[in-house]
Amino acid sequence: MLPGDILDEENSTKRRTWKSRATSFEPKTKENFFSNEQEREDDKKLKSHIPEKVGWTKSCFTNMFICCSRRKQNMSTIGMCIRFTLAWLFTLSLLFILLQFYLLMSAHELDSSNSEVVDPDSKSYFSSTLKYINRVFNLRSSSSSEIINLEKKGKGPISKAFISKESLKNERHKNIKKKFKKKKNLNKKKRKSKKSFTKEKNKPKEIKQKKNNKHPKTHLVNTVKTLEKKYGSVKKRMHEKKAKKIKKRLPLKTSNSKKKKMNSKRGIKKGLKKGKKKVKKIQIKKQPYYGRNRNKMLKTIKDAFLHAYNGYKIYAFGHDEVRPENNITNDSWGGFGVTIFDSLDTLYLLNLKEQFEEAKKHIETINFKKNVVVSFFETTIRHLGGLLAAYDLSKDNLFLKKAIELGDRLLPAFNSPSGFPYHEINLETGVAQNAHWTNGQSLLSEIGSIQLEFVHLSTLSKNPIYGQKATAAFNKIINTTTTIPGLYPIKWDIDSGKPIGDEISIGGLGDSFYEYLLKMYIYTKDKFYKKAAIKSINGIIKHLKIKVPMKSSSEKKVSSKNHFTILSKLKGGKQVLEFEHLSCFAPGLLLLGDYYLDKPKWRTAAEDVLNTCIDLYAIQPSGLCPDEISFESNGDHKITNSQYKLRPETLESLYYFYQIEDDPSYKDDAVTIFKAIQEKTRTNTAYTNVDKVDTKDPVSANSMQSYFLAETLKYMHLLFKEEGLSERKVFNTEGHQFNIPKRVKKTTLKGRKNIKMKKKPEKSSKKKSEKSSKKHIKREKIKKVPIVK
């Protein structure tokens, strides 16, 4: 029955105008709203048409229907009813839109998880939305008509939305029970006979997916399990592949039938079924090789260099040095990156192209016009020497350009009254001075160990000014007369150019001067330096070399002799039995002098001193040599400086001995020293100086200087490279290799004089007198050549 049928005929025929409606309107209260009993009965009939399942909208709809079906209702109340209905329709439409948006989002999530696409056969918008509703509420009906029928019965998705929580819990329990039943059925299917399994396995067939009205995930699980039954599981196939690889790697030791079966396919499968454990590859850290094998040792040396250089690169690239214990940077050499400059030629020799190019890019960005005070000597041998060696190897003009720029910045250091270079210089202003810790005095090793670099810069740049400045100071030292011929004091006056004191040492503050006497002859082929080198080395062997007895024969030693041969110091004309690790470069220098000048006495002295240097490594519990040791005449020795500063001097001498004498025992000595360096000085970042080498576990000093990469590891690499001693190359005191030119212009060598040597008895022959006269004429011609400034 409709609401329009309830209205009386009298009230339906009455029509009122707008004015009459306005005048006759009387608002009804709660008391007179339900006036008659008939109206209440009509209201009950109207309520019976509204569905009971609607819940919270029930009261709203009843009032709306009652309001519109009054007998004595005027037109104003009908307008209010219309507004009321419109407002509710608007709110319901909004709720429907929000619900539809929620359903769409949830359906999208289901599609993404199940990788299913929405039905393309959906003809109308209404049917597609019902499909989304179907997915959200896990209903598997085939069409929208079934959902409508369910909705009429009160079992549809909309009606289920208002079901209580208890009913939902009951439905979840039912679903869980269904899952358990499915698992039981699957286990029953697995217990079938193995014969059917093997037959089906050998004959794979296409499986047609059957339509299920159940959840899509369960359907996928069933399909995967059926595939595993016929083709085998994925995990088993992975095990089989790993087993095949292992089988190829491991050769069969015996030919027994049982072992063959185990290595066959069936045997591997059985083992996998029983174990069901993944085959894990055990990664064993390979220990570094220490021996005579050339290729293996070259690899371990390269790995050691990369460990040190990469630690510097990670924590301090662009700075001078890295502190290997706490990874802090150190800029005590000007802040230009001295480790990069010192490592250039080593990177090239080890064929580390990427690192070499990175270093080149860094050097390209450097401007030496910087307001910083640097050590003249250290900057020359490390920065300038590294650039010149890199140019000789790579022939890249960038390195020569930067070397000339740096050389120009260092030249003002020679502007002293004596011509000796100052200890330190400001690269921007050119202001130079001596250090305070030397009391304003110049040191022999600093003023006499920069000649190779500046002469080589003159030959490459074709500008003689660099060589002239350096050789003028060098030759002035050589021409001075001293109390002991060929031996020169450590300290010199910067103004007068004369020596101060009488302390003589081939160790610290004086070592590299004697090295450059011989190497300047090798580089220039000038007899002036040849005579100076002979005079000095003879003085070293005569006045500084001394034998000290060993106190106990039970001490570990490499040499067969029961004594130490050291190079002592002279103070006041008396020998002081102090030996420094820096003096271990002397054996290599003496052997090199014998190689070029044919002096067999130098060779024997070199062997004795080298054995002492090796013994001082072997005696210590750590296997490392201390920096300074003092001896007594009775054989007692005391360590005055127990640090090992990653010094290269012993390895440098071993390199020269092996290249010239070709004795593999020198390789063994180098390997034992290198092994001790690896075990006692290596850190997680790089390598470090250590203290207390007289104990088994020395303490870290938290410093790695750049010469460890430039010299220590380079000499180890060249020792095992076995290329032989090249007569066309010479090393500077920092281990940088320079190409020797065919001819050095005499204009670059300034201040040379003839050194007085003991004359041999002349043989009476006219031919020799004629030759000597010709040579004398040639020398006079050379002296008359003008010096280009």
Side-chain angles (χ1 to χ4, degrees):
M1 189 175 179
L2 295 170
D5 297 329
I6 298 163
L7 297 171
D8 295 335
E9 291 179 0
E10 293 178 0
N11 293 326
S12 63
T13 53
K14 289 179 181 180
R15 302 277 177 128
R16 292 182 182 180
T17 58
W18 181 256
K19 291 179 182 180
S20 61
R21 264 184 277 166
T23 53
S24 62
F25 177 70
E26 291 178 4
K28 290 190 175 184
T29 60
K30 289 182 180 179
E31 295 174 357
N32 61 2
F33 193 80
F34 296 102
S35 58
N36 297 325
E37 291 181 0
Q38 290 181 357
E39 288 178 355
R40 291 176 184 175
E41 288 176 3
D42 294 334
D43 293 337
K44 287 179 183 180
K45 290 177 182 180
L46 288 167
K47 288 176 186 178
S48 64
H49 291 284
I50 297 163
E52 294 177 359
K53 297 278 183 179
V54 175
W56 59 273
T57 55
K58 188 174 180 180
S59 61
C60 298
F61 279 107
T62 51
N63 292 328
M64 187 176 70
F65 277 106
I66 291 159
C67 184
C68 295
S69 60
R70 290 292 175 209
R71 285 185 181 178
K72 296 176 182 180
Q73 190 73 25
N74 52 16
M75 293 302 290
S76 62
T77 54
I78 292 164
M80 287 177 70
C81 290
I82 290 162
R83 289 175 189 173
F84 189 77
T85 51
L86 288 169
W88 273 105
L89 286 168
F90 180 74
T91 53
L92 286 169
S93 62
L94 280 172
L95 289 168
F96 182 77
I97 289 160
L98 291 169
L99 189 137
Q100 188 179 2
F101 181 75
Y102 170 74
L103 294 172
L104 287 166
M105 292 296 291
S106 59
H108 180 69
E109 288 175 2
L110 282 169
D111 292 335
S112 62
S113 63
N114 295 326
S115 67
E116 292 179 3
V117 185
V118 181
D119 290 335
D121 299 329
S122 59
K123 295 179 181 179
S124 63
Y125 180 75
F126 179 72
S127 63
S128 63
T129 53
L130 290 170
K131 287 284 177 79
Y132 288 129
I133 293 163
N134 182 13
R135 287 194 182 189
V136 174
F137 292 99
N138 297 322
L139 294 168
R140 301 297 297 170
S141 59
S142 59
S143 63
S144 60
S145 60
E146 290 180 7
I147 292 164
I148 293 160
N149 293 326
L150 288 166
E151 194 65 35
K152 287 179 180 178
K153 292 176 183 179
K155 295 180 181 181
I158 295 164
S159 58
K160 278 186 178 182
F162 304 103
I163 295 168
S164 62
K165 292 181 181 179
E166 293 178 359
S167 59
L168 287 169
K169 285 181 182 178
N170 293 326
E171 285 183 0
R172 284 173 189 170
H173 287 300
K174 287 177 183 179
N175 291 327
I176 291 160
K177 286 179 182 179
K178 285 179 182 179
K179 285 180 183 178
F180 280 116
K181 285 180 181 179
K182 285 175 186 177
K183 285 182 181 179
K184 286 180 182 179
N185 293 326
L186 289 167
N187 291 324
K188 286 178 183 179
K189 288 177 183 179
K190 284 181 182 178
R191 290 171 188 172
K192 287 182 180 180
S193 62
K194 292 181 180 179
K195 292 181 181 180
S196 61
F197 177 75
T198 51
K199 285 179 183 179
E200 288 178 358
K201 190 177 179 183
N202 295 325
K203 295 179 182 180
K205 293 180 181 180
E206 294 180 357
I207 298 163
K208 292 181 181 179
Q209 292 182 359
K210 295 180 181 181
K211 291 181 180 180
N212 286 326
N213 292 328
K214 297 176 184 179
H215 197 273
K217 285 185 179 178
T218 56
H219 179 65
L220 287 168
V221 169
N222 292 329
T223 52
V224 169
K225 285 181 179 178
T226 50
L227 286 166
E228 283 180 357
K229 280 183 182 180
K230 292 203 170 185
Y231 300 108
S233 65
V234 179
K235 289 181 181 179
K236 286 181 181 180
R237 277 184 251 164
M238 292 293 288
H239 287 308
E240 286 174 9
K241 285 180 182 179
K242 287 181 181 179
K244 283 177 184 178
K245 288 179 182 178
I246 293 160
K247 184 185 170 184
K248 287 178 183 178
R249 289 175 189 171
L250 299 170
L252 293 169
K253 291 182 180 179
T254 57
S255 59
N256 294 329
S257 61
K258 289 181 180 180
K259 289 185 177 181
K260 283 183 180 179
K261 284 179 182 178
M262 286 301 292
N263 288 317
S264 63
K265 291 182 181 179
R266 289 179 184 177
I268 290 161
K269 285 178 185 176
K270 285 176 184 177
L272 288 167
K273 282 178 186 177
K274 288 177 183 178
K276 291 184 180 181
K277 289 182 179 180
K278 292 182 180 180
V279 180
K280 292 182 179 180
K281 293 180 182 179
I282 300 165
Q283 294 181 355
I284 300 166
K285 290 182 179 180
K286 291 183 179 179
Q287 293 183 353
Y289 174 82
Y290 303 109
R292 290 186 182 180
N293 192 323
R294 176 177 173 271
N295 293 328
K296 289 181 179 179
M297 273 305 297
L298 285 172
K299 189 182 177 183
T300 55
I301 295 158
K302 189 176 182 178
D303 291 340
F305 178 86
L306 281 171
H307 177 69
Y309 187 80
N310 288 334
Y312 163 76
K313 182 181 169 183
I314 291 164
Y315 297 105
F317 191 80
H319 296 275
D320 285 334
E321 293 169 356
V322 64
R323 302 284 188 191
E325 285 294 333
N326 51 11
N327 304 327
I328 296 170
T329 59
N330 176 30
D331 288 325
S332 57
W333 307 109
F336 297 109
V338 68
T339 304
I340 296 167
F341 284 86
D342 252 351
S343 303
L344 281 170
D345 51 348
T346 315
L347 289 167
Y348 195 90
L349 290 168
L350 292 171
N351 198 23
L352 299 171
K353 294 179 181 178
E354 290 181 6
Q355 289 86 346
F356 184 79
E357 290 297 323
E358 286 175 357
K360 181 185 167 184
K361 287 178 183 177
H362 170 73
I363 289 163
E364 194 174 0
T365 60
I366 285 173
N367 183 13
F368 289 110
K369 190 180 179 180
K370 185 180 177 182
N371 188 14
V372 63
V373 177
V374 298
S375 170
F376 174 79
F377 168 67
E378 297 292 346
T379 307
T380 301
I381 65 171
R382 298 191 190 200
H383 296 81
L384 186 61
L387 289 169
L388 294 170
Y391 175 75
D392 284 344
L393 289 168
S394 65
K395 301 299 179 186
D396 195 330
N397 290 322
L398 173 69
F399 299 117
L400 182 59
K401 182 184 174 182
K402 289 292 178 183
I404 292 165
E405 184 185 337
L406 180 59
D408 293 336
R409 291 284 164 195
L410 292 171
L411 275 178
F414 291 99
N415 297 333
S416 67
S418 62
F420 292 163
Y422 285 101
H423 174 77
E424 56 190 20
I425 182 172
N426 190 315
L427 293 176
E428 186 178 14
T429 61
V431 176
Q433 62 181 2
N434 274 348
H436 296 290
W437 63 273
T438 62
N439 297 322
Q441 298 166 356
S442 296
L443 302 173
L444 181 64
S445 62
E446 293 190 350
I447 60 179
S449 305
I450 43 86
Q451 283 69 34
L452 268 177
E453 291 81 4
F454 279 93
V455 171
H456 192 51
L457 181 60
S458 290
T459 56
L460 294 176
S461 64
K462 297 178 182 179
N463 186 0
I465 188 67
Y466 306 109
Q468 287 173 0
K469 292 278 188 182
T471 54
F474 193 56
N475 299 338
K476 192 171 185 176
I477 297 166
I478 295 166
N479 291 326
T480 55
T481 56
T482 56
T483 55
I484 300 171
L487 299 180
Y488 302 92
I490 292 170
K491 296 176 182 178
W492 293 72
D493 187 16
I494 191 70
D495 297 323
S496 63
K498 292 180 180 180
I500 299 169
D502 54 359
E503 186 179 352
I504 296 167
S505 173
I506 199 171
L509 310 179
D511 51 353
S512 51
F513 168 77
Y514 300 99
E515 179 186 356
Y516 271 38
L517 286 172
L518 180 63
K519 289 182 177 180
M520 278 294 287
Y521 165 69
I522 294 166
Y523 186 87
T524 60
K525 302 294 187 293
D526 191 353
K527 290 183 180 179
F528 173 75
Y529 298 117
K530 178 183 176 181
K531 291 175 182 178
I534 292 166
K535 193 176 178 180
S536 293
I537 292 170
N538 285 331
I540 289 165
I541 292 168
K542 187 178 180 181
H543 297 282
L544 298 181
K545 187 172 80 72
I546 188 169
K547 292 180 181 180
V548 181
M550 282 186 183
K551 191 173 181 181
S552 62
S553 59
S554 62
E555 289 181 333
K556 294 179 182 178
K557 55 184 182 295
V558 177
S559 64
S560 59
K561 297 175 182 178
N562 294 323
H563 62 267
F564 292 117
T565 303
I566 64 168
L567 298 172
S568 63
K569 297 179 181 180
L570 288 175
K571 290 181 181 179
K574 295 180 180 180
Q575 281 188 339
V576 179
L577 301 181
E578 292 179 359
F579 185 72
E580 298 179 20
H581 189 281
L582 288 166
S583 302
C584 287
F585 85 97
L589 178 69
L590 295 172
L591 188 69
L592 196 66
D594 175 53
Y595 180 79
Y596 281 99
L597 303 173
D598 192 16
K599 301 288 181 181
K601 288 183 180 179
W602 296 2
R603 182 189 289 267
T604 54
E607 287 175 355
D608 292 340
V609 177
L610 180 64
N611 288 331
T612 300
C613 292
I614 294 164
D615 287 346
L616 291 173
Y617 274 89
I619 286 168
Q620 305 306 323
S622 62
L624 299 171
C625 179
D627 207 50
E628 293 178 10
I629 301 176
S630 63
F631 292 88
E632 293 182 5
S633 58
N634 61 354
D636 290 333
H637 63 273
K638 183 181 178 182
I639 296 170
T640 54
N641 187 352
S642 63
Q643 280 194 357
Y644 174 69
K645 299 180 179 180
L646 304 171
R647 293 200 185 275
E649 286 78 22
T650 306
L651 293 172
E652 180 184 354
S653 294
L654 287 167
Y655 162 74
Y656 284 118
F657 267 83
Y658 179 74
Q659 299 300 332
I660 293 167
E661 294 191 354
D662 197 17
D663 186 357
S665 64
Y666 296 116
K667 268 187 174 181
D668 298 338
D669 296 333
V671 167
T672 53
I673 293 167
F674 180 69
K675 186 179 179 182
I677 292 166
Q678 285 274 78
E679 290 175 353
K680 304 298 180 181
T681 68
R682 186 175 173 125
T683 65
N684 294 326
T685 302
Y687 294 83
T688 180
N689 299 351
V690 290
D691 197 0
K692 297 181 181 178
V693 296
D694 53 344
T695 60
K696 287 185 178 180
D697 298 317
V699 182
S700 172
N702 196 20
S703 175
M704 184 185 75
Q705 293 210 29
S706 60
Y707 59 71
F708 177 70
L709 301 173
E711 297 183 80
T712 309
L713 295 176
K714 187 190 290 174
Y715 284 123
M716 276 298 298
H717 171 76
L718 292 173
L719 194 149
F720 281 90
K721 194 75 174 173
E722 297 177 0
E723 291 181 346
L725 190 68
S726 176
E727 293 183 358
R728 303 302 305 166
K729 290 183 179 180
V730 65
F731 289 95
N732 80 333
T733 190
E734 192 70 10
H736 297 302
Q737 219 169 6
F738 299 154
N739 293 334
I740 298 170
K742 292 180 180 179
R743 180 176 173 273
V744 178
K745 291 181 179 181
K746 302 297 180 184
T747 53
T748 59
L749 308 174
K750 188 179 178 181
R752 296 185 305 113
K753 290 181 182 179
N754 292 325
I755 298 170
K756 293 180 181 180
M757 301 287 289
K758 288 182 180 179
K759 293 181 180 179
K760 293 180 181 180
E762 293 181 359
K763 292 179 181 179
S764 60
S765 61
K766 293 180 180 180
K767 290 181 179 180
K768 287 188 176 181
S769 62
E770 287 175 1
K771 286 180 181 178
S772 62
S773 63
K774 285 179 182 179
K775 286 180 181 178
H776 185 69
I777 292 160
K778 284 181 181 178
R779 281 180 186 175
E780 285 181 352
K781 286 180 180 179
I782 289 163
K783 285 180 182 179
K784 289 178 182 178
V785 175
I787 296 167
V788 179
K789 291 185 180 179

